Amino acid sequence: MVYIGCSYSLLHHHSDEWERDLAQMAAAGHNVIRVGELLASWDLFEQEPGRPDLSSLDSAFALATKHSMKVLLGTGASSPPVWLRSRHPDILIEDRAGISYPPGAMWGWACINHPAYLQEADRYLGQLLDRYGNHPSLLGWQIHNEAGYPFIADEGKLQPGWYDYNAHTINAFRNWLRKQYETIDALNNAWLWVPSNQRFASFDDVDAPRRTPAEWAVPKSWLDWRMFCCDNFNSLIKRQHEQIKKHSPQTVTMTNMYGAAYDRDGRLGINIWTLPKQCDVIGFDCYPGMQMKTAEQTGRPVPQIDSPTAWFLDFARSVAKQNGKELWLPEMESGPLGGWVKGPQYATTASDIRRWGLMGLARGARMILYQGYREWPSLPLHWGALADWHGKGTERLAASAQLAKLIANHGDQLGKAQPINAQVALLHCQRSTVFSASVGAQDYANEAMQNMYETLWKLGYTVDYIAPERLAALQDYRLLIVPFVPLLSQASAQAIAEYVDRGATVITMPRTAMVDDNCHVWKSRPGGGLNEVIGATETGLWVEDDIKVQAAVGKKRFSLTGMHHRQQQDLAADTIVLGEFANGDPAITVHKYGAGQAIHFATHMDLVSDRNRNYLDFWHSLLIDLGLRPDVEVLAENDYLLDMRLLRHDDGTLLLFVANEGDLPVSAKLRLPAYDVHAAQNLWNIGLIECDKKGVLSLKLPASEALVALLSTN
């Protein structure tokens, strides 16, 4: 089943309008509404303790039932009522300066370790379960809303604060450390660091660190603190999941995360790879317009993507896939948004609604919910919707109806098709991301991951992100790329070595495996034995600009520019040089290891942001030389921004989704190297795909639009 619908915050609209609004949703083909998750939640339904008014929720369920729609209901955990703060003044989260979070700002202001919060959240959810837990129109439960600490910075500050230093959270941190280390000596050894070299006699003496390693705090203590925060939110989601399952075992639970959702520096306190394990389904909130650069910034007549929508959709798909969870998109951008009085930051169009929706379906998403159905007069932040202030449908509502019609007509095909297996995996390590950010390398870690993805995306490759825990199952992929990942454990290094030994290829960069799991520098780099895999050991490292590299792949030669680091190495006798620096030192090497091979870059090709033809040609030639053909190949040099994804049915037929993320129409020839295609049936009335006798596909697609076609294969 594929669901499509909207968030609808009842108490933000007059009750006389509810019937009309839900009728319009149903007429547009929507089959689910989301209520009670944040706006119009616990804080509004129970304004006095023990005296809830759930009449509006009763109406929502009655109207949903009348219009054959399902309800996704929030547990209220993200938005506690004001009286909870009044009764328990110490319940507020605190930043590292000991300042309590101000009232009336973002959700997530309550300490999730405070006994009163946990007790009252259990009680409130219990009331909802007793009333709606077995309601025939209940689709499932949303637990919390974009769990994590507040991500909005105070005015005048560049970054949000660091949370939570409430005494209850610090006590929970100490208990977490006891389980991790068992003895205080083990903790003291792990936290060893020359500038401070603290030694604790008891876990009760340990405090949560209030400075980052860039401010000369102990790196491992900071890493432990932020990873504890991740486990802490996991515990809250799991707690509510178990309460729901105890009452209604068959009911589906979901928690949602924002955008690509990975925590860029640890401030959110969540781990995208482990949070999905705590419930049945994982949801990702998708706001591509927030990634747009304005026309003024680009000098182009229309806004341009700053990073491809595909990037965070594929990240979401990878997280769901690795955790064996169904992927939902419970908040999809529905209208012009952002910018407050100066807004909107981006004017979302009907073509965006169509394109982004199809791109979500191309990742196997089983739910698309727009945030929200109607404009909200009470929000000064510009937040567009499918219907205007008066409840009148816009062209965006009509666009959502087109998607709903596709789902209604081809729901069985969409529901059963699965994205094809990727050939290439990119390693993403949350621990390494937090470490990198804490020592001032946040830009390196994030840019490297995104740059490598964009290169492969432009060349037509499907890419999976994987976490270190997934390394043991790497045989699913023919190539693993390890972008800027300085922290790598011994176990992860060993798993990579075994993966290569079995016959696959790994690509590494200069700072790969710089430090171990305790943030201590590996004596031989790359550490964990990876120097034996790549056939090289670092002997020196220089920071330079404009690093020139001459490289050869097959009979082609390339002039490339590296970034930031120039690494000097001792090479094993059987290591082959593919590229050299200007001084003749090896810049790109290949080394046979077991049945596989390792390619090592001694400068950062993962940080190169210049997507010129020469750079793309180099990566294309390298991947082809490795025997990796694109999943969908454009048969000409191009500057198209095409997102191309394949889904496969058990009967051998394929669904091909193509989205044009550019501002110009596209006419192109496509080929699927791994499949013998003999027919194409267009399932969408915008754009066109035709198949010739040789299996070559002719594509015509307007600017900013997308299409989907059913392909028959021999």
Side-chain angles (χ1 to χ4, degrees):
M1 181 71 176
V2 179
Y3 296 98
I4 184 169
C6 290
S7 294
Y8 189 72
S9 299
L10 297 103
L11 298 187
H12 287 260
H13 308 294
H14 196 279
S15 58
D16 291 344
E17 301 171 325
W18 297 351
E19 168 73 38
R20 179 202 63 193
D21 288 348
L22 264 74
Q24 287 184 170
M25 293 183 216
H30 295 188
N31 53 25
V32 63
I33 61 169
R34 184 177 74 143
V35 296
E37 81 292 342
L38 178 63
L39 303 170
S41 184
W42 181 10
D43 51 352
L44 287 174
F45 294 145
E46 191 177 37
Q47 296 181 34
E48 295 183 56
R51 300 183 62 184
D53 180 1
L54 301 176
S55 57
S56 59
L57 276 182
D58 291 342
S59 297
F61 273 90
L63 288 169
T65 302
K66 178 179 179 180
H67 295 288
S68 301
M69 301 172 76
K70 294 291 186 179
V71 176
L72 179 62
L73 180 59
T75 67
S78 65
S79 192
V82 172
W83 56 259
L84 191 59
R85 184 177 70 241
S86 301
R87 288 188 167 194
H88 304 278
D90 65 335
I91 203 170
L92 296 171
I93 59 173
E94 295 180 11
D95 68 14
R96 63 177 179 169
I99 300 173
S100 297
Y101 194 71
M106 286 187 65
W107 65 93
W109 51 263
C111 171
I112 63 174
N113 298 103
H114 196 290
Y117 170 82
L118 294 171
Q119 179 180 346
E120 293 296 335
D122 289 349
R123 182 190 58 79
Y124 176 72
L125 176 54
Q127 293 177 143
L128 296 181
L129 284 165
D130 288 342
R131 198 175 188 103
Y132 308 111
N134 295 311
H135 196 288
S137 293
L138 178 68
L139 172 64
W141 295 87
Q142 176 178 317
I143 302 175
H144 211 284
N145 180 75
E146 295 178 359
Y149 295 120
F151 53 80
I152 301 299
D154 291 346
E155 185 177 8
K157 294 187 177 180
L158 296 177
Q159 297 283 3
W162 291 108
Y163 298 96
D164 168 33
Y165 292 84
N166 185 293
H168 293 284
T169 298
I170 292 175
N171 187 59
F173 177 51
R174 291 171 179 150
N175 290 332
W176 184 88
L177 291 172
R178 286 185 176 95
K179 293 180 180 178
Q180 294 291 315
Y181 290 103
E182 297 184 350
T183 69
I184 196 64
D185 284 342
L187 179 143
N188 284 328
N189 291 334
W191 287 17
L192 182 66
W193 200 54
V194 173
S196 60
N197 199 22
Q198 301 176 87
R199 307 294 289 184
F200 301 100
S202 164
F203 285 102
D204 293 330
D205 295 334
V206 181
D207 199 358
R210 295 176 187 259
R211 296 178 71 85
T212 70
E215 300 162 323
W216 283 52
V218 179
K220 187 55 162 59
S221 71
W222 185 261
L223 181 61
D224 279 344
W225 167 238
R226 300 323 294 173
M227 299 314 294
F228 153 75
C229 290
C230 298
D231 287 350
N232 203 28
F233 273 107
N234 288 352
S235 296
L236 175 64
I237 304 302
K238 183 178 181 180
R239 181 188 184 102
Q240 293 217 313
H241 167 82
E242 291 179 344
Q243 184 179 356
I244 292 168
K245 289 297 186 179
K246 184 176 181 180
H247 184 280
S248 306
Q250 77 287 352
T251 305
V252 175
T253 64
M254 181 273 296
T255 192
N256 61 322
M257 297 188 277
Y258 169 69
Y262 80 96
D263 198 347
R264 289 173 175 263
D265 61 5
R267 289 177 197 268
L268 292 181
I270 61 168
N271 185 341
I272 56 158
W273 298 107
T274 57
L275 192 64
K277 300 180 189 299
Q278 318 310 320
C279 52
D280 295 326
V281 173
I282 188 60
F284 282 81
D285 298 347
C286 186
Y287 293 95
M290 291 185 174
Q291 306 297 322
M292 292 289 182
K293 288 183 177 178
T294 65
E296 181 180 356
Q297 290 172 316
T298 63
R300 301 286 293 277
V302 296
Q304 297 290 297
I305 56 171
D306 184 27
S307 57
T309 308
W311 177 75
F312 51 83
L313 285 172
D314 276 334
F315 210 105
R317 176 187 55 79
S318 298
V319 171
K321 176 182 177 181
Q322 178 162 317
N323 284 280
K325 305 293 183 179
E326 196 168 274
L327 173 63
W328 289 1
L329 302 176
E331 288 186 27
M332 177 70 83
E333 183 176 324
S334 58
L337 80 165
W340 298 89
V341 175
K342 296 195 301 182
Q345 175 179 322
Y346 177 73
T348 313
T349 66
S351 62
D352 293 328
I353 297 295
R354 289 188 290 266
R355 185 176 75 259
W356 295 335
L358 286 175
M359 291 175 71
L361 294 175
R363 271 71 188 178
R366 297 296 183 254
M367 174 182 284
I368 296 176
L369 295 185
Y370 294 96
Q371 176 71 353
Y373 176 70
R374 274 183 66 182
E375 299 266 13
W376 298 311
S378 58
L379 288 178
L381 174 65
H382 199 101
W383 205 275
L386 300 181
D388 67 14
W389 311 99
H390 307 286
K392 182 180 179 181
T394 68
E395 63 175 8
R396 296 183 297 277
L397 177 60
S400 76
Q402 289 177 277
L403 285 167
K405 185 176 180 180
L406 173 71
I407 290 170
N409 291 341
H410 303 285
D412 190 55
Q413 291 169 318
L414 293 169
K416 292 180 179 179
Q418 295 295 328
I420 65 169
N421 292 330
Q423 303 176 79
V424 184
L426 288 177
L427 180 65
H428 172 262
C429 175
Q430 184 67 22
R431 297 172 66 84
S432 187
T433 297
V434 172
F435 168 78
S436 300
S438 70
V439 296
Q442 176 181 345
D443 54 343
Y444 282 17
N446 295 324
E447 288 175 17
M449 183 175 64
Q450 186 171 320
N451 287 343
M452 285 309 311
Y453 172 87
E454 288 186 28
T455 298
L456 296 162
W457 174 72
K458 285 195 116 181
L459 293 173
Y461 291 89
T462 301
V463 179
D464 280 354
Y465 287 96
I466 62 165
E469 310 87 73
R470 177 68 173 162
L471 287 171
L474 269 174
Q475 62 267 22
D476 295 346
Y477 306 96
R478 297 177 61 189
L479 171 65
L480 170 69
I481 301 178
V482 185
F484 190 86
V485 182
L487 187 154
L488 202 68
S489 69
Q490 179 69 60
S492 295
Q494 181 62 34
I496 292 173
E498 292 173 356
Y499 163 73
V500 176
D501 184 59
R502 292 194 297 267
T505 300
V506 65
I507 293 178
T508 54
M509 300 289 168
R511 297 282 76 184
T512 299
M514 172 187 170
V515 298
D516 65 17
D517 219 22
N518 283 331
C519 307
H520 296 155
V521 177
W522 287 104
K523 294 179 180 178
S524 294
R525 292 176 298 279
L530 280 186
N531 58 327
E532 298 176 5
V533 178
I534 72 169
T537 301
E538 179 184 306
T539 58
L541 191 73
W542 289 265
V543 177
E544 296 180 4
D545 295 322
D546 196 31
I547 303 171
K548 300 301 183 184
V549 175
Q550 293 293 321
V553 179
K555 296 181 179 180
K556 293 185 177 181
R557 295 197 62 82
F558 299 90
S559 296
L560 305 168
T561 301
M563 295 286 287
H564 303 304
H565 291 135
R566 180 170 63 84
Q567 191 178 42
Q568 189 177 55
Q569 306 165 95
D570 273 343
L571 302 185
D574 56 347
T575 299
I576 299 171
V577 177
L578 297 181
E580 295 180 341
F581 294 116
N583 66 354
D585 284 348
I588 306 173
T589 58
V590 60
H591 180 249
K592 297 291 184 181
Y593 183 82
Q597 61 187 337
I599 298 172
H600 181 70
F601 291 82
T603 185
H604 281 287
M605 289 297 174
D606 52 347
L607 290 172
V608 177
S609 58
D610 181 14
R611 293 291 172 261
N612 57 46
R613 191 71 245 171
N614 183 60
Y615 179 84
L616 289 173
D617 282 347
F618 166 75
W619 278 103
H620 179 260
S621 297
L622 181 62
L623 294 169
I624 294 297
D625 194 60
L626 293 173
L628 299 175
R629 300 291 298 275
D631 301 298
V632 183
E633 193 171 41
V634 180
L635 300 182
E637 288 190 3
N638 69 86
D639 293 318
Y640 305 140
L641 293 174
L642 290 181
D643 178 65
M644 302 176 288
R645 287 294 177 268
L646 286 170
L647 284 74
R648 182 167 52 194
H649 287 106
D650 290 340
D651 63 5
T653 58
L654 299 169
L655 286 175
L656 172 63
F657 290 81
V658 184
N660 181 4
E661 288 270 72
D663 58 352
L664 295 173
V666 169
S667 293
K669 300 288 188 181
L670 309 178
R671 180 170 56 204
L672 278 56
Y675 301 95
D676 182 11
V677 180
H678 63 80
Q681 175 190 354
N682 292 272
L683 304 183
W684 191 245
N685 60 1
I686 297 174
L688 179 67
I689 279 188
E690 296 177 324
C691 182
D692 68 15
K693 294 180 179 180
K694 295 181 179 180
V696 175
L697 301 171
S698 296
L699 167 72
K700 292 184 179 180
L701 192 57
S704 304
E705 291 286 0
L707 59 73
V708 57
L710 182 67
L711 306 181
S712 299
T713 61
N714 292 324

